[in-house]
Amino acid sequence: MGKVSAVVLAAGQGKRMGSRIHKQYLLLEGKPILYYCLKAFEDSAVEEIVLVVGKGEIPYCQTEIAEKFGFHKIKAIVEGGSERYHSVYEGLRAISRCEIVLIHDGARPFVSLKNIQDAIEGARKYQACVLGMPVKDTIKRVDGENVALETPDRRYLWQIQTPQAFSYELIRKAYDLLMGDEQMQQGITDDAMVAEKMLQKRVKIIEGDYSNMKVTTPEDMTIAAALWKALSTDAKERDRKYDIQKSEKI
């Protein structure tokens, strides 16, 4: 099995949070939101983490995140760009050669060891996969005046999460092409779109977890605090059982 790396994105400004502090550094149960996903990757089969941060934040993250919490798998901390895809590209460029790369939003604190392992295995099998869950609500497509145009069949609608996992060679090639074509950069919101648009690659969606939420608004912080309390014991037990099952297969 080849090397597995992860790019963790923490360069967003989090404008919808309405806070002077970027959302990934807000405290959840006494630790930055960013801590929780980094801890999951630190404890996983991932061998190398590249952390992508905002302008001027490298020293802070080196001392207050990587060193303070003993994240030894963080091999590089680099500055991101103005858009998400710029930040991903900087992260990909900082990775040493690997087989599989996982790309994860630092504002998703509740990613589990199972989520990470499923993504790794999915990437090895399909070359490109993303975590997701079926939508629960009815979805409407609207026009510019918010008038409903159609109601898609929700059996075929999934909400996409991270990590998104790929063959490193595939996603690096896709991003190299994207960064050389400004027109194709319009509307890019995730890494699967890059593989789809630039290489016409079919991306497999594998089941994630509804608890793998992204913290974006003040309301999300309230939900995250409640979810952390509910998950803290359950998640530890779930990951413990997962480790036992994995060891029994070896």
Side-chain angles (χ1 to χ4, degrees):
M1 294 295 183
K3 178 180 174 182
V4 180
S5 299
V7 173
V8 176
L9 304 171
Q13 296 182 9
K15 295 179 180 178
R16 283 177 287 178
M17 185 60 71
S19 170
R20 292 184 295 104
I21 301 173
H22 293 177
K23 61 185 178 183
Q24 57 269 23
Y25 305 127
L26 293 173
L27 297 183
L28 176 64
E29 295 297 318
K31 294 183 176 67
I33 286 174
L34 180 59
Y35 161 85
Y36 295 95
C37 71
L38 288 172
K39 181 66 165 62
F41 282 101
E42 180 80 16
D43 293 343
S44 75
V46 167
E47 299 165 67
E48 171 190 37
I49 301 171
V50 172
L51 179 59
V52 186
V53 302
K55 185 176 181 180
E57 295 176 357
I58 291 177
Y60 173 84
C61 287
Q62 182 64 48
T63 57
E64 296 300 319
I65 302 293
E67 295 175 7
K68 180 176 181 179
F69 296 110
F71 292 134
H72 303 296
K73 290 184 180 180
I74 296 179
K75 303 303 182 184
I77 304 176
V78 299
E79 286 190 3
S82 58
E83 301 292 339
R84 184 185 187 278
Y85 54 83
H86 292 137
S87 295
V88 173
Y89 190 56
E90 292 304 317
L92 292 174
R93 292 176 61 197
I95 287 176
S96 55
R97 203 66 178 171
C98 67
E99 178 200 7
I100 299 297
V101 60
L102 279 63
I103 303 170
H104 185 70
D105 296 324
R108 290 186 186 271
F110 301 126
V111 62
S112 69
L113 293 177
K114 184 178 186 303
N115 293 153
I116 294 170
Q117 189 61 36
D118 286 348
I120 294 170
E121 293 174 4
R124 286 196 167 120
K125 184 174 182 180
Y126 303 106
Q127 288 194 301
C129 74
V130 301
L131 294 185
M133 293 298 291
V135 300
K136 297 179 180 180
D137 300 322
T138 295
I139 304 297
K140 299 284 186 181
R141 189 174 73 85
V142 302
D143 63 15
E145 296 179 347
N146 286 346
V147 175
L149 296 177
E150 64 174 331
T151 306
D153 188 336
R154 67 181 179 187
R155 289 180 299 171
Y156 306 109
L157 298 175
W158 285 55
Q159 59 190 56
I160 299 305
Q161 304 175 342
T162 65
Q164 302 194 1
F166 306 88
S167 153
Y168 177 79
E169 288 187 3
L170 181 143
I171 199 63
R172 177 61 190 270
K173 180 180 179 181
Y175 265 95
D176 283 341
L177 292 171
L178 179 73
M179 299 311 293
D181 190 336
E182 291 187 6
Q183 185 174 354
M184 294 295 285
Q185 294 169 9
Q186 303 303 312
I188 292 292
T189 57
D190 78 340
D191 313 297
M193 286 184 68
V194 180
E196 293 160 354
K197 290 182 69 171
M198 306 311 299
L199 299 178
Q200 291 73 55
K201 177 64 180 177
R202 289 165 59 88
V203 178
K204 179 71 172 181
I205 298 178
I206 57 178
E207 188 168 312
D209 195 317
Y210 285 117
S211 64
N212 185 18
M213 64 174 290
K214 186 176 183 180
V215 177
T216 303
T217 66
E219 293 81 6
D220 291 337
M221 285 296 294
T222 302
I223 295 170
L227 188 58
W228 186 90
K229 292 179 181 178
L231 289 176
S232 57
T233 299
D234 291 344
K236 290 176 182 177
E237 179 64 15
R238 179 184 60 194
D239 287 341
R240 186 186 69 82
K241 290 180 179 179
Y242 178 71
D243 285 338
I244 291 174
Q245 291 172 356
K246 185 169 63 174
S247 65
E248 288 176 347
K249 292 179 181 179
I250 300 175

mmCIF file of all heavy atoms in Angstrom, residues 189-234:
data_model
loop_
_atom_site.group_PDB
_atom_site.id
_atom_site.type_symbol
_atom_site.label_atom_id
_atom_site.label_comp_id
_atom_site.label_asym_id
_atom_site.label_seq_id
_atom_site.Cartn_x
_atom_site.Cartn_y
_atom_site.Cartn_z
ATOM 1 N N THR A 189 -16.718 24.559 -6.377
ATOM 2 C CA THR A 189 -17.001 24.578 -4.938
ATOM 3 C C THR A 189 -16.403 23.393 -4.183
ATOM 4 O O THR A 189 -16.346 23.423 -2.959
ATOM 5 C CB THR A 189 -18.520 24.597 -4.683
ATOM 6 O OG1 THR A 189 -19.124 23.457 -5.319
ATOM 7 C CG2 THR A 189 -19.147 25.876 -5.237
ATOM 8 N N ASP A 190 -15.999 22.350 -4.902
ATOM 9 C CA ASP A 190 -15.339 21.243 -4.203
ATOM 10 C C ASP A 190 -14.394 20.518 -5.154
ATOM 11 O O ASP A 190 -14.328 20.819 -6.347
ATOM 12 C CB ASP A 190 -16.364 20.291 -3.568
ATOM 13 C CG ASP A 190 -17.021 19.345 -4.556
ATOM 14 O OD1 ASP A 190 -17.007 19.629 -5.782
ATOM 15 O OD2 ASP A 190 -17.549 18.310 -4.128
ATOM 16 N N ASP A 191 -13.658 19.584 -4.598
ATOM 17 C CA ASP A 191 -12.600 18.911 -5.346
ATOM 18 C C ASP A 191 -13.158 17.916 -6.360
ATOM 19 O O ASP A 191 -12.565 17.698 -7.418
ATOM 20 C CB ASP A 191 -11.656 18.221 -4.366
ATOM 21 C CG ASP A 191 -11.273 19.167 -3.243
ATOM 22 O OD1 ASP A 191 -10.644 20.199 -3.537
ATOM 23 O OD2 ASP A 191 -11.651 18.904 -2.090
ATOM 24 N N ALA A 192 -14.297 17.318 -6.043
ATOM 25 C CA ALA A 192 -14.922 16.406 -6.997
ATOM 26 C C ALA A 192 -15.243 17.123 -8.299
ATOM 27 O O ALA A 192 -15.073 16.555 -9.383
ATOM 28 C CB ALA A 192 -16.191 15.812 -6.396
ATOM 29 N N MET A 193 -15.686 18.371 -8.200
ATOM 30 C CA MET A 193 -15.985 19.146 -9.405
ATOM 31 C C MET A 193 -14.748 19.329 -10.269
ATOM 32 O O MET A 193 -14.837 19.341 -11.504
ATOM 33 C CB MET A 193 -16.544 20.526 -9.039
ATOM 34 C CG MET A 193 -17.968 20.528 -8.543
ATOM 35 S SD MET A 193 -18.552 22.224 -8.247
ATOM 36 C CE MET A 193 -18.623 22.857 -9.923
ATOM 37 N N VAL A 194 -13.596 19.479 -9.640
ATOM 38 C CA VAL A 194 -12.352 19.659 -10.391
ATOM 39 C C VAL A 194 -12.049 18.402 -11.199
ATOM 40 O O VAL A 194 -11.722 18.468 -12.387
ATOM 41 C CB VAL A 194 -11.184 19.999 -9.451
ATOM 42 C CG1 VAL A 194 -9.898 20.194 -10.251
ATOM 43 C CG2 VAL A 194 -11.496 21.261 -8.647
ATOM 44 N N ALA A 195 -12.171 17.244 -10.554
ATOM 45 C CA ALA A 195 -11.933 15.984 -11.261
ATOM 46 C C ALA A 195 -12.955 15.772 -12.369
ATOM 47 O O ALA A 195 -12.619 15.294 -13.458
ATOM 48 C CB ALA A 195 -11.974 14.817 -10.274
ATOM 49 N N GLU A 196 -14.202 16.146 -12.094
ATOM 50 C CA GLU A 196 -15.269 15.967 -13.078
ATOM 51 C C GLU A 196 -15.080 16.890 -14.284
ATOM 52 O O GLU A 196 -15.191 16.451 -15.441
ATOM 53 C CB GLU A 196 -16.630 16.242 -12.421
ATOM 54 C CG GLU A 196 -17.030 15.217 -11.361
ATOM 55 C CD GLU A 196 -18.099 15.731 -10.403
ATOM 56 O OE1 GLU A 196 -18.460 16.932 -10.471
ATOM 57 O OE2 GLU A 196 -18.562 14.943 -9.568
ATOM 58 N N LYS A 197 -14.796 18.155 -14.020
ATOM 59 C CA LYS A 197 -14.714 19.144 -15.095
ATOM 60 C C LYS A 197 -13.435 19.027 -15.911
ATOM 61 O O LYS A 197 -13.447 19.159 -17.140
ATOM 62 C CB LYS A 197 -14.828 20.562 -14.526
ATOM 63 C CG LYS A 197 -16.198 20.917 -14.006
ATOM 64 C CD LYS A 197 -16.264 22.348 -13.490
ATOM 65 C CE LYS A 197 -16.155 23.367 -14.597
ATOM 66 N NZ LYS A 197 -16.428 24.753 -14.121
ATOM 67 N N MET A 198 -12.321 18.793 -15.231
ATOM 68 C CA MET A 198 -11.038 18.841 -15.916
ATOM 69 C C MET A 198 -10.639 17.498 -16.542
ATOM 70 O O MET A 198 -9.920 17.466 -17.537
ATOM 71 C CB MET A 198 -9.934 19.304 -14.962
ATOM 72 C CG MET A 198 -10.233 20.628 -14.258
ATOM 73 S SD MET A 198 -10.774 21.962 -15.369
ATOM 74 C CE MET A 198 -9.360 22.157 -16.450
ATOM 75 N N LEU A 199 -11.092 16.391 -15.949
ATOM 76 C CA LEU A 199 -10.687 15.075 -16.443
ATOM 77 C C LEU A 199 -11.874 14.192 -16.819
ATOM 78 O O LEU A 199 -11.682 13.040 -17.220
ATOM 79 C CB LEU A 199 -9.844 14.353 -15.385
ATOM 80 C CG LEU A 199 -8.533 15.026 -14.969
ATOM 81 C CD1 LEU A 199 -7.853 14.218 -13.878
ATOM 82 C CD2 LEU A 199 -7.598 15.201 -16.158
ATOM 83 N N GLN A 200 -13.101 14.739 -16.671
ATOM 84 C CA GLN A 200 -14.310 13.956 -16.931
ATOM 85 C C GLN A 200 -14.311 12.661 -16.113
ATOM 86 O O GLN A 200 -14.769 11.600 -16.563
ATOM 87 C CB GLN A 200 -14.464 13.632 -18.425
ATOM 88 C CG GLN A 200 -14.772 14.836 -19.301
ATOM 89 C CD GLN A 200 -13.560 15.742 -19.472
ATOM 90 O OE1 GLN A 200 -12.506 15.272 -19.892
ATOM 91 N NE2 GLN A 200 -13.702 17.018 -19.152
ATOM 92 N N LYS A 201 -13.792 12.748 -14.905
ATOM 93 C CA LYS A 201 -13.694 11.594 -14.021
ATOM 94 C C LYS A 201 -15.004 11.381 -13.264
ATOM 95 O O LYS A 201 -15.548 12.321 -12.671
ATOM 96 C CB LYS A 201 -12.549 11.785 -13.017
ATOM 97 C CG LYS A 201 -12.412 10.667 -11.992
ATOM 98 C CD LYS A 201 -12.059 9.350 -12.636
ATOM 99 C CE LYS A 201 -11.929 8.247 -11.588
ATOM 100 N NZ LYS A 201 -11.663 6.930 -12.213
ATOM 101 N N ARG A 202 -15.516 10.158 -13.288
ATOM 102 C CA ARG A 202 -16.690 9.813 -12.493
ATOM 103 C C ARG A 202 -16.261 9.651 -11.034
ATOM 104 O O ARG A 202 -15.295 8.949 -10.736
ATOM 105 C CB ARG A 202 -17.321 8.517 -13.007
ATOM 106 C CG ARG A 202 -18.017 8.689 -14.352
ATOM 107 C CD ARG A 202 -18.303 7.347 -15.003
ATOM 108 N NE ARG A 202 -19.133 6.487 -14.178
ATOM 109 C CZ ARG A 202 -20.476 6.472 -14.183
ATOM 110 N NH1 ARG A 202 -21.130 7.299 -14.993
ATOM 111 N NH2 ARG A 202 -21.154 5.639 -13.417
ATOM 112 N N VAL A 203 -16.986 10.324 -10.142
ATOM 113 C CA VAL A 203 -16.624 10.337 -8.724
ATOM 114 C C VAL A 203 -17.639 9.511 -7.940
ATOM 115 O O VAL A 203 -18.847 9.747 -8.025
ATOM 116 C CB VAL A 203 -16.577 11.780 -8.184
ATOM 117 C CG1 VAL A 203 -16.254 11.775 -6.692
ATOM 118 C CG2 VAL A 203 -15.544 12.601 -8.954
ATOM 119 N N LYS A 204 -17.144 8.569 -7.179
ATOM 120 C CA LYS A 204 -17.996 7.708 -6.367
ATOM 121 C C LYS A 204 -18.352 8.402 -5.053
ATOM 122 O O LYS A 204 -17.484 8.964 -4.377
ATOM 123 C CB LYS A 204 -17.272 6.397 -6.064
ATOM 124 C CG LYS A 204 -18.051 5.411 -5.207
ATOM 125 C CD LYS A 204 -19.200 4.804 -5.960
ATOM 126 C CE LYS A 204 -19.836 3.674 -5.141
ATOM 127 N NZ LYS A 204 -20.971 3.031 -5.865
ATOM 128 N N ILE A 205 -19.621 8.367 -4.698
ATOM 129 C CA ILE A 205 -20.059 8.900 -3.409
ATOM 130 C C ILE A 205 -20.261 7.732 -2.455
ATOM 131 O O ILE A 205 -20.966 6.775 -2.765
ATOM 132 C CB ILE A 205 -21.359 9.709 -3.539
ATOM 133 C CG1 ILE A 205 -21.141 10.912 -4.460
ATOM 134 C CG2 ILE A 205 -21.834 10.180 -2.159
ATOM 135 C CD1 ILE A 205 -22.380 11.745 -4.692
ATOM 136 N N ILE A 206 -19.606 7.812 -1.304
ATOM 137 C CA ILE A 206 -19.747 6.773 -0.292
ATOM 138 C C ILE A 206 -20.360 7.387 0.960
ATOM 139 O O ILE A 206 -20.200 8.577 1.239
ATOM 140 C CB ILE A 206 -18.392 6.107 0.029
ATOM 141 C CG1 ILE A 206 -17.361 7.143 0.494
ATOM 142 C CG2 ILE A 206 -17.876 5.345 -1.168
ATOM 143 C CD1 ILE A 206 -16.033 6.526 0.876
ATOM 144 N N GLU A 207 -21.065 6.571 1.702
ATOM 145 C CA GLU A 207 -21.825 7.082 2.843
ATOM 146 C C GLU A 207 -20.916 7.563 3.958
ATOM 147 O O GLU A 207 -19.998 6.860 4.390
ATOM 148 C CB GLU A 207 -22.772 6.012 3.373
ATOM 149 C CG GLU A 207 -23.722 6.529 4.434
ATOM 150 C CD GLU A 207 -24.837 5.543 4.751
ATOM 151 O OE1 GLU A 207 -25.466 5.025 3.810
ATOM 152 O OE2 GLU A 207 -25.056 5.285 5.952
ATOM 153 N N GLY A 208 -21.195 8.792 4.416
ATOM 154 C CA GLY A 208 -20.448 9.367 5.518
ATOM 155 C C GLY A 208 -21.231 9.277 6.805
ATOM 156 O O GLY A 208 -21.620 8.191 7.238
ATOM 157 N N ASP A 209 -21.495 10.435 7.419
ATOM 158 C CA ASP A 209 -22.188 10.454 8.699
ATOM 159 C C ASP A 209 -22.859 11.816 8.843
ATOM 160 O O ASP A 209 -22.224 12.845 8.590
ATOM 161 C CB ASP A 209 -21.172 10.225 9.828
ATOM 162 C CG ASP A 209 -21.822 9.877 11.150
ATOM 163 O OD1 ASP A 209 -22.832 10.518 11.501
ATOM 164 O OD2 ASP A 209 -21.332 8.963 11.835
ATOM 165 N N TYR A 210 -24.102 11.834 9.264
ATOM 166 C CA TYR A 210 -24.785 13.114 9.440
ATOM 167 C C TYR A 210 -24.109 13.996 10.490
ATOM 168 O O TYR A 210 -24.233 15.218 10.454
ATOM 169 C CB TYR A 210 -26.254 12.887 9.823
ATOM 170 C CG TYR A 210 -27.123 12.438 8.668
ATOM 171 C CD1 TYR A 210 -27.741 11.191 8.679
ATOM 172 C CD2 TYR A 210 -27.336 13.263 7.559
ATOM 173 C CE1 TYR A 210 -28.530 10.771 7.626
ATOM 174 C CE2 TYR A 210 -28.134 12.857 6.503
ATOM 175 C CZ TYR A 210 -28.727 11.605 6.537
ATOM 176 O OH TYR A 210 -29.512 11.196 5.476
ATOM 177 N N SER A 211 -23.391 13.386 11.410
ATOM 178 C CA SER A 211 -22.707 14.184 12.435
ATOM 179 C C SER A 211 -21.462 14.888 11.900
ATOM 180 O O SER A 211 -20.924 15.776 12.572
ATOM 181 C CB SER A 211 -22.322 13.303 13.626
ATOM 182 O OG SER A 211 -21.381 12.325 13.245
ATOM 183 N N ASN A 212 -21.024 14.533 10.714
ATOM 184 C CA ASN A 212 -19.832 15.149 10.112
ATOM 185 C C ASN A 212 -20.217 16.516 9.524
ATOM 186 O O ASN A 212 -20.094 16.765 8.333
ATOM 187 C CB ASN A 212 -19.256 14.220 9.043
ATOM 188 C CG ASN A 212 -17.944 14.724 8.460
ATOM 189 O OD1 ASN A 212 -17.268 15.572 9.031
ATOM 190 N ND2 ASN A 212 -17.594 14.207 7.294
ATOM 191 N N MET A 213 -20.661 17.393 10.386
ATOM 192 C CA MET A 213 -21.190 18.697 9.979
ATOM 193 C C MET A 213 -20.077 19.714 9.767
ATOM 194 O O MET A 213 -18.974 19.575 10.288
ATOM 195 C CB MET A 213 -22.153 19.229 11.039
ATOM 196 C CG MET A 213 -21.487 19.514 12.379
ATOM 197 S SD MET A 213 -22.580 20.293 13.600
ATOM 198 C CE MET A 213 -22.793 21.925 12.900
ATOM 199 N N LYS A 214 -20.397 20.764 9.005
ATOM 200 C CA LYS A 214 -19.472 21.874 8.818
ATOM 201 C C LYS A 214 -19.960 23.058 9.638
ATOM 202 O O LYS A 214 -21.117 23.459 9.544
ATOM 203 C CB LYS A 214 -19.388 22.259 7.342
ATOM 204 C CG LYS A 214 -18.330 23.318 7.055
ATOM 205 C CD LYS A 214 -18.225 23.581 5.557
ATOM 206 C CE LYS A 214 -17.121 24.591 5.245
ATOM 207 N NZ LYS A 214 -17.021 24.857 3.785
ATOM 208 N N VAL A 215 -19.080 23.601 10.452
ATOM 209 C CA VAL A 215 -19.428 24.757 11.283
ATOM 210 C C VAL A 215 -19.257 26.020 10.446
ATOM 211 O O VAL A 215 -18.145 26.355 10.037
ATOM 212 C CB VAL A 215 -18.546 24.810 12.546
ATOM 213 C CG1 VAL A 215 -18.873 26.047 13.365
ATOM 214 C CG2 VAL A 215 -18.734 23.540 13.372
ATOM 215 N N THR A 216 -20.360 26.706 10.191
ATOM 216 C CA THR A 216 -20.348 27.868 9.303
ATOM 217 C C THR A 216 -20.968 29.103 9.931
ATOM 218 O O THR A 216 -20.474 30.217 9.737
ATOM 219 C CB THR A 216 -21.115 27.533 7.992
ATOM 220 O OG1 THR A 216 -20.522 26.386 7.382
ATOM 221 C CG2 THR A 216 -21.057 28.699 7.005
ATOM 222 N N THR A 217 -22.036 28.949 10.698
ATOM 223 C CA THR A 217 -22.779 30.075 11.261
ATOM 224 C C THR A 217 -22.787 29.989 12.790
ATOM 225 O O THR A 217 -22.467 28.942 13.364
ATOM 226 C CB THR A 217 -24.225 30.062 10.745
ATOM 227 O OG1 THR A 217 -24.898 28.895 11.267
ATOM 228 C CG2 THR A 217 -24.261 30.041 9.217
ATOM 229 N N PRO A 218 -23.184 31.072 13.478
ATOM 230 C CA PRO A 218 -23.272 31.021 14.945
ATOM 231 C C PRO A 218 -24.190 29.901 15.435
ATOM 232 O O PRO A 218 -23.924 29.280 16.465
ATOM 233 C CB PRO A 218 -23.833 32.401 15.301
ATOM 234 C CG PRO A 218 -23.367 33.291 14.195
ATOM 235 C CD PRO A 218 -23.428 32.436 12.963
ATOM 236 N N GLU A 219 -25.265 29.642 14.699
ATOM 237 C CA GLU A 219 -26.170 28.558 15.083
ATOM 238 C C GLU A 219 -25.456 27.215 15.069
ATOM 239 O O GLU A 219 -25.725 26.334 15.893
ATOM 240 C CB GLU A 219 -27.379 28.519 14.149
ATOM 241 C CG GLU A 219 -28.312 29.712 14.245
ATOM 242 C CD GLU A 219 -27.827 30.926 13.466
ATOM 243 O OE1 GLU A 219 -26.799 30.809 12.748
ATOM 244 O OE2 GLU A 219 -28.456 31.978 13.573
ATOM 245 N N ASP A 220 -24.521 27.066 14.125
ATOM 246 C CA ASP A 220 -23.770 25.812 14.036
ATOM 247 C C ASP A 220 -22.907 25.581 15.274
ATOM 248 O O ASP A 220 -22.676 24.431 15.668
ATOM 249 C CB ASP A 220 -22.875 25.817 12.786
ATOM 250 C CG ASP A 220 -23.674 25.744 11.499
ATOM 251 O OD1 ASP A 220 -24.822 25.262 11.528
ATOM 252 O OD2 ASP A 220 -23.145 26.192 10.468
ATOM 253 N N MET A 221 -22.418 26.653 15.875
ATOM 254 C CA MET A 221 -21.614 26.501 17.086
ATOM 255 C C MET A 221 -22.453 25.917 18.214
ATOM 256 O O MET A 221 -21.982 25.063 18.983
ATOM 257 C CB MET A 221 -21.025 27.848 17.509
ATOM 258 C CG MET A 221 -19.863 28.316 16.672
ATOM 259 S SD MET A 221 -18.409 27.214 16.790
ATOM 260 C CE MET A 221 -17.933 27.421 18.514
ATOM 261 N N THR A 222 -23.697 26.357 18.312
ATOM 262 C CA THR A 222 -24.598 25.827 19.332
ATOM 263 C C THR A 222 -24.871 24.347 19.087
ATOM 264 O O THR A 222 -24.839 23.522 20.007
ATOM 265 C CB THR A 222 -25.922 26.607 19.335
ATOM 266 O OG1 THR A 222 -25.661 27.990 19.575
ATOM 267 C CG2 THR A 222 -26.863 26.078 20.403
ATOM 268 N N ILE A 223 -25.125 24.015 17.823
ATOM 269 C CA ILE A 223 -25.374 22.625 17.460
ATOM 270 C C ILE A 223 -24.131 21.778 17.710
ATOM 271 O O ILE A 223 -24.215 20.656 18.231
ATOM 272 C CB ILE A 223 -25.793 22.532 15.984
ATOM 273 C CG1 ILE A 223 -27.139 23.232 15.778
ATOM 274 C CG2 ILE A 223 -25.881 21.072 15.534
ATOM 275 C CD1 ILE A 223 -27.522 23.406 14.322
ATOM 276 N N ALA A 224 -22.969 22.313 17.342
ATOM 277 C CA ALA A 224 -21.718 21.569 17.511
ATOM 278 C C ALA A 224 -21.436 21.274 18.981
ATOM 279 O O ALA A 224 -20.972 20.182 19.329
ATOM 280 C CB ALA A 224 -20.560 22.337 16.893
ATOM 281 N N ALA A 225 -21.721 22.240 19.853
ATOM 282 C CA ALA A 225 -21.486 22.030 21.284
ATOM 283 C C ALA A 225 -22.367 20.907 21.821
ATOM 284 O O ALA A 225 -21.908 20.042 22.578
ATOM 285 C CB ALA A 225 -21.750 23.328 22.051
ATOM 286 N N ALA A 226 -23.623 20.912 21.400
ATOM 287 C CA ALA A 226 -24.537 19.853 21.841
ATOM 288 C C ALA A 226 -24.134 18.509 21.238
ATOM 289 O O ALA A 226 -24.161 17.474 21.915
ATOM 290 C CB ALA A 226 -25.965 20.212 21.442
ATOM 291 N N LEU A 227 -23.739 18.533 19.982
ATOM 292 C CA LEU A 227 -23.351 17.306 19.297
ATOM 293 C C LEU A 227 -22.089 16.715 19.910
ATOM 294 O O LEU A 227 -21.972 15.494 20.060
ATOM 295 C CB LEU A 227 -23.148 17.591 17.810
ATOM 296 C CG LEU A 227 -22.928 16.400 16.879
ATOM 297 C CD1 LEU A 227 -24.093 15.428 16.963
ATOM 298 C CD2 LEU A 227 -22.757 16.886 15.434
ATOM 299 N N TRP A 228 -21.142 17.586 20.270
ATOM 300 C CA TRP A 228 -19.906 17.098 20.886
ATOM 301 C C TRP A 228 -20.208 16.338 22.167
ATOM 302 O O TRP A 228 -19.636 15.263 22.415
ATOM 303 C CB TRP A 228 -18.966 18.258 21.180
ATOM 304 C CG TRP A 228 -17.623 17.813 21.684
ATOM 305 C CD1 TRP A 228 -16.517 17.520 20.945
ATOM 306 C CD2 TRP A 228 -17.254 17.585 23.050
ATOM 307 N NE1 TRP A 228 -15.480 17.129 21.751
ATOM 308 C CE2 TRP A 228 -15.899 17.162 23.047
ATOM 309 C CE3 TRP A 228 -17.920 17.713 24.263
ATOM 310 C CZ2 TRP A 228 -15.216 16.853 24.219
ATOM 311 C CZ3 TRP A 228 -17.243 17.394 25.435
ATOM 312 C CH2 TRP A 228 -15.907 16.977 25.412
ATOM 313 N N LYS A 229 -21.101 16.868 22.974
ATOM 314 C CA LYS A 229 -21.436 16.199 24.232
ATOM 315 C C LYS A 229 -22.097 14.847 23.970
ATOM 316 O O LYS A 229 -21.838 13.875 24.678
ATOM 317 C CB LYS A 229 -22.356 17.090 25.059
ATOM 318 C CG LYS A 229 -21.662 18.346 25.582
ATOM 319 C CD LYS A 229 -22.619 19.218 26.370
ATOM 320 C CE LYS A 229 -21.906 20.476 26.861
ATOM 321 N NZ LYS A 229 -22.822 21.384 27.610
ATOM 322 N N ALA A 230 -22.941 14.809 22.937
ATOM 323 C CA ALA A 230 -23.633 13.561 22.622
ATOM 324 C C ALA A 230 -22.686 12.536 22.015
ATOM 325 O O ALA A 230 -22.821 11.333 22.248
ATOM 326 C CB ALA A 230 -24.783 13.835 21.658
ATOM 327 N N LEU A 231 -21.726 13.014 21.242
ATOM 328 C CA LEU A 231 -20.844 12.112 20.506
ATOM 329 C C LEU A 231 -19.603 11.693 21.272
ATOM 330 O O LEU A 231 -18.996 10.680 20.947
ATOM 331 C CB LEU A 231 -20.392 12.764 19.190
ATOM 332 C CG LEU A 231 -21.435 12.916 18.086
ATOM 333 C CD1 LEU A 231 -20.828 13.676 16.913
ATOM 334 C CD2 LEU A 231 -21.938 11.558 17.629
ATOM 335 N N SER A 232 -19.191 12.491 22.237
ATOM 336 C CA SER A 232 -17.884 12.267 22.862
ATOM 337 C C SER A 232 -17.733 10.850 23.386
ATOM 338 O O SER A 232 -16.709 10.190 23.152
ATOM 339 C CB SER A 232 -17.641 13.274 23.990
ATOM 340 O OG SER A 232 -18.678 13.192 24.962
ATOM 341 N N THR A 233 -18.737 10.350 24.071
ATOM 342 C CA THR A 233 -18.673 8.981 24.579
ATOM 343 C C THR A 233 -18.962 7.983 23.475
ATOM 344 O O THR A 233 -18.245 6.993 23.307
ATOM 345 C CB THR A 233 -19.677 8.785 25.724
ATOM 346 O OG1 THR A 233 -19.352 9.688 26.789
ATOM 347 C CG2 THR A 233 -19.606 7.348 26.237
ATOM 348 N N ASP A 234 -20.003 8.237 22.683
ATOM 349 C CA ASP A 234 -20.387 7.307 21.619
ATOM 350 C C ASP A 234 -19.283 7.162 20.575
ATOM 351 O O ASP A 234 -19.015 6.060 20.096
ATOM 352 C CB ASP A 234 -21.669 7.788 20.933
ATOM 353 C CG ASP A 234 -22.884 7.687 21.840
ATOM 354 O OD1 ASP A 234 -22.792 6.986 22.865
ATOM 355 O OD2 ASP A 234 -23.920 8.310 21.540
#
